[in-house]
Amino acid sequence: MNQVIKETDSQPMLAVNQITRRFGGLVAVNEVSFDVYNQEIFGLIGPNGAGKTTLFNLITGLIEPSSGQIFSQDQLISNLKPHQIAAKGIARTFQNIRLFGELSALENVIVGRHLHTKSNFVTGILGLPQANQAEKQAKQKATEFIELVGLGDRLSEKSKNLSYGDQRRLEIARALALEPSILLLDEPAAGMNPNEKQVLSAFIRDLRTQFNLTIILIEHHVPLVMGLCDRIAVLNFGKLIALGQPEIVRNDPAVIEAYLGVD
């Protein structure tokens, strides 16, 4: 069951304020504003080309806004670089999986631990004890996250040899390795069958509970979004056309016309 978010109870975990992104003459995201609250599962839906992934790229610093601001827990982040935003506790997966194909599952997730590694380049080169201890700790934590997503028996497998669904899970494990407070999932159910989507939905709820996560997801599978998310924002041609709880969004005439009514 979806939890009811009382917007007046606390400051937002993420606040998107009149954010706009232009690419030449194309306005990909057009004055979009919304807040996301602590431990909320927040869905972002809309037709292809609506600006959803562009908005994720703005939140995570891969591109800069043309105007507007984004705040994380009252701290301005829209002027920061991607690694600085990650250090603020914001992690993501990608629509097109971005794993290191020649690296093992374990090595891919260790890469995601870099912000929490205590040693530096010099200690690593010199083989100092703190570097060895940091490496051991990174392997231990990475293993825990891989086991969490059900891939504990694939630690040494090259990521390129994993199935599509397992690669999706591994990418989530790598994002979790950053120990974020906000997790952005870009089409996590893409390519999954109905049973896998049900399992994924339960898994995302478990992640929220276990890690006290605020989760924002882009997803085209409407039944999954409607059953999973506490609130949903709908984009169309870069504009926010609806925002609210699933039943409200489902019955919004503008959403039906722009998205839900399309076969």
Side-chain angles (χ1 to χ4, degrees), residues 60-120:
T60 53
L62 291 182
I63 56 176
E64 297 179 357
S66 301
S67 62
Q69 296 174 314
I70 301 173
F71 296 86
S72 176
Q73 301 181 72
D74 264 359
Q75 296 184 17
L76 182 67
I77 63 170
S78 46
N79 61 341
L80 300 180
K81 301 297 183 184
H83 72 277
Q84 295 172 315
I85 293 174
K88 295 287 186 185
I90 299 176
R92 71 172 293 180
T93 65
F94 290 86
Q95 181 179 359
N96 299 313
I97 296 171
R98 297 189 182 184
L99 296 171
F100 299 101
E102 292 297 328
L103 297 184
S104 69
L106 179 62
E107 290 166 337
N108 267 278
V109 179
I110 288 174
V111 169
R113 291 290 302 169
H114 70 280
L115 287 176
H116 297 284
T117 301
K118 303 297 183 183
S119 64
N120 58 34

Side-chain angles (χ1 to χ4, degrees), residues 90-247:
I90 299 176
R92 71 172 293 180
T93 65
F94 290 86
Q95 181 179 359
N96 299 313
I97 296 171
R98 297 189 182 184
L99 296 171
F100 299 101
E102 292 297 328
L103 297 184
S104 69
L106 179 62
E107 290 166 337
N108 267 278
V109 179
I110 288 174
V111 169
R113 291 290 302 169
H114 70 280
L115 287 176
H116 297 284
T117 301
K118 303 297 183 183
S119 64
N120 58 34
F121 176 77
V122 174
T123 59
I125 288 294
L126 296 178
L128 298 180
Q130 56 262 48
N132 295 331
Q133 182 64 22
E135 182 181 0
K136 182 179 179 180
Q137 291 175 348
K139 286 182 178 180
Q140 179 181 340
K141 292 297 292 186
T143 299
E144 290 175 7
F145 287 116
I146 293 172
E147 289 175 345
L148 176 69
V149 302
L151 297 176
D153 59 342
R154 313 297 296 277
L155 289 172
S156 300
E157 189 79 43
K158 286 187 177 181
S159 66
K160 69 178 184 180
N161 296 332
L162 297 175
S163 68
Y164 184 83
D166 284 348
Q167 288 182 6
R168 284 276 176 202
R169 286 179 170 271
L170 182 59
E171 195 174 38
I172 291 174
R174 186 173 64 181
L176 290 173
L178 285 169
E179 298 184 17
S181 55
I182 302 174
L183 177 62
L184 282 66
L185 303 174
D186 195 345
E187 296 195 35
M192 292 186 178
N193 63 42
N195 181 64
E196 289 171 331
K197 288 174 182 175
Q198 285 188 341
V199 172
L200 175 70
S201 184
F203 175 63
I204 290 172
R205 286 195 188 95
D206 289 343
L207 288 180
R208 168 172 66 181
T209 302
Q210 183 170 351
F211 296 101
N212 298 318
L213 281 173
T214 300
I215 298 173
I216 308 172
L217 63 93
I218 295 171
E219 185 51 60
H220 281 289
H221 187 67
V222 174
L224 184 149
V225 174
M226 292 293 173
L228 175 62
C229 296
D230 300 299
R231 290 188 303 137
I232 298 168
V234 187
L235 293 181
N236 191 35
F237 294 110
K239 294 281 289 184
L240 182 68
I241 63 171
L243 173 64
Q245 294 178 9
E247 281 306 310

